[in-house]
Amino acid sequence: MESERGEDNKTDTMEYCELLDKEIGNDSDFFKFQNHVKMAFASLGLAVSTGIRLNATREILDMLDQLYQNISDTDVALTDESRKKLNHADEVWLDMKLKMAAGDIRAAHLLNASSHLSMAHAYLCALKKDEEFSELISDYSLKYFKKLSVFIYREAIGHVML
């Protein structure tokens, strides 16, 4: 009976990682990264549901999808237009209190997506330092996940670079 429990515990703590094509601990930074990206997608979906600035929000969804696909397929990249937009999205401090005090639902969803992407970026940085993942995580992915997080934050606050 003891060995059966041990086997169950092993399967409860391991998960298949498609990037490495093997089972790894489900507490890996890879799964934390993946889950924050999924939460960012969900938050962006909620932002779309508000019906406000639909094209801009869908464009952000497309950028996130392309960056996420780039992790496993480096041939998938952002369009030139998207890269230009993100390259102009430098971090600035913007006050979100006014937006949140006004009850701006779209802004709240976008801020949530931005925060999740910021966390995803942090886990991506940790993966870059991990021997198993270091060759798989490109500088391109690191750069543009961070820039997309900032871009979404600026979109949420209404401080959009044209």
Side-chain angles (χ1 to χ4, degrees):
M1 188 112 180
E2 287 283 327
S3 65
E4 288 179 21
R5 285 186 191 177
E7 288 176 24
D8 285 346
N9 286 340
K10 184 179 178 185
T11 59
D12 289 344
T13 61
M14 301 296 283
E15 193 169 335
Y16 177 73
C17 172
E18 60 190 38
L19 199 57
L20 297 176
D21 192 27
K22 69 177 193 176
E23 296 271 326
I24 61 173
N26 60 14
D27 62 345
S28 166
D29 287 337
F30 175 76
F31 296 118
K32 293 171 187 173
F33 160 76
Q34 196 174 47
N35 285 326
H36 277 287
V37 170
K38 289 176 184 177
M39 289 187 277
F41 270 118
S43 294
L44 290 170
L46 289 169
V48 167
S49 75
T50 67
I52 302 164
R53 290 186 46 84
L54 286 174
N55 289 339
T57 311
R58 287 184 176 135
E59 181 181 16
I60 291 169
L61 268 169
D62 287 342
M63 285 189 255
L64 177 55
D65 185 52
Q66 290 162 346
L67 284 176
Y68 189 54
Q69 287 182 45
N70 177 266
I71 297 294
S72 59
D73 181 0
T74 56
D75 290 336
V76 177
L78 294 167
T79 65
D80 288 342
E81 182 181 332
S82 293
R83 273 196 321 277
K84 286 177 187 175
K85 286 181 180 181
L86 295 182
N87 283 332
H88 291 292
D90 296 325
E91 275 192 89
V92 294
W93 184 87
L94 299 167
D95 188 7
M96 66 176 117
K97 180 182 174 189
L98 288 175
K99 282 282 186 178
M100 295 304 95
D104 189 323
I105 294 170
R106 178 178 180 267
H109 293 310
L110 290 175
L111 288 169
N112 197 35
S114 174
S115 294
H116 282 300
L117 280 185
S118 185
M119 289 300 300
H121 178 260
Y123 287 119
L124 205 55
C125 289
L127 289 171
K128 181 72 172 171
K129 295 175 188 172
D130 183 318
E131 196 173 290
E132 279 191 294
F133 288 93
S134 63
E135 296 295 319
L136 301 172
I137 307 302
S138 69
D139 292 338
Y140 177 91
S141 292
L142 289 173
K143 175 181 179 178
Y144 285 106
F145 263 95
K146 176 68 174 172
K147 287 191 172 285
L148 182 58
S149 172
V150 172
F151 184 82
I152 295 170
Y153 180 80
R154 291 178 82 129
E155 173 70 25
I157 300 302
H159 193 272
V160 182
M161 299 295 289
L162 299 176

